[in-house]
Amino acid sequence: MKHHAGKPGNPPQRIAAVMALAGLAALAGCTGLTTGGGSSSAAVATAYRCAQGMPFTVRFVDNTAVLQSQRGDDVLLRDAGGQGTQTVYSNARLRAEFGLGADGRQAALHYLGQPLVARCMRD
């Protein structure tokens, strides 16, 4: 039996490896866009405050949302979900909905595997 070093052995490991690389690439891309390059496409951080006292910021870059909060940093990929102006992003631990409410300034963070849904308002 041959062993191929560096190649994950089953599909779930491959998916996890690809997602990790995509997350790192997205973070690297966000860092590059916001470090003074003067680009008109620079991702600006938007601040939100949640009813549970959980503030967070989000940067939207291409089809990703990079959240920074007290619960850690998350790179979320765009989902097909959402209606109208609502957009949905997710990863293995978090699903985030943006553009909620009559004025589109609300968001909801659904922490998967936990009974926590944070209702948030853009500052």
Side-chain angles (χ1 to χ4, degrees):
M1 175 192 286
K2 289 185 178 180
H3 177 70
H4 298 283
K7 290 181 106 177
N10 61 39
Q13 287 177 327
R14 287 187 200 133
I15 291 169
V18 168
M19 293 299 289
L21 289 174
L24 290 173
L27 282 174
C30 290
T31 302
L33 287 173
T34 59
T35 55
S39 171
S40 62
S41 64
V44 176
T46 302
Y48 283 82
R49 296 218 181 269
C50 304
Q52 293 81 354
M54 296 174 22
F56 72 92
T57 61
V58 62
R59 285 184 173 83
F60 298 101
V61 179
D62 297 324
N63 286 321
T64 65
V66 180
L67 272 74
Q68 294 179 313
S69 73
Q70 299 166 339
R71 296 178 72 88
D73 297 345
D74 282 284
V75 176
L76 309 173
L77 301 177
R78 181 81 183 261
D79 273 353
Q83 301 175 19
T85 60
Q86 178 186 0
T87 56
V88 179
Y89 297 82
S90 66
N91 66 14
R93 92 179 189 115
L94 175 64
R95 181 173 186 262
E97 301 174 54
F98 295 95
L100 302 175
D103 59 1
R105 295 176 50 87
Q106 297 176 29
L109 302 180
H110 304 266
Y111 285 89
L112 307 175
Q114 299 176 16
L116 175 62
V117 176
R119 306 282 177 196
C120 312
M121 179 67 76
R122 187 171 64 217
D123 284 345

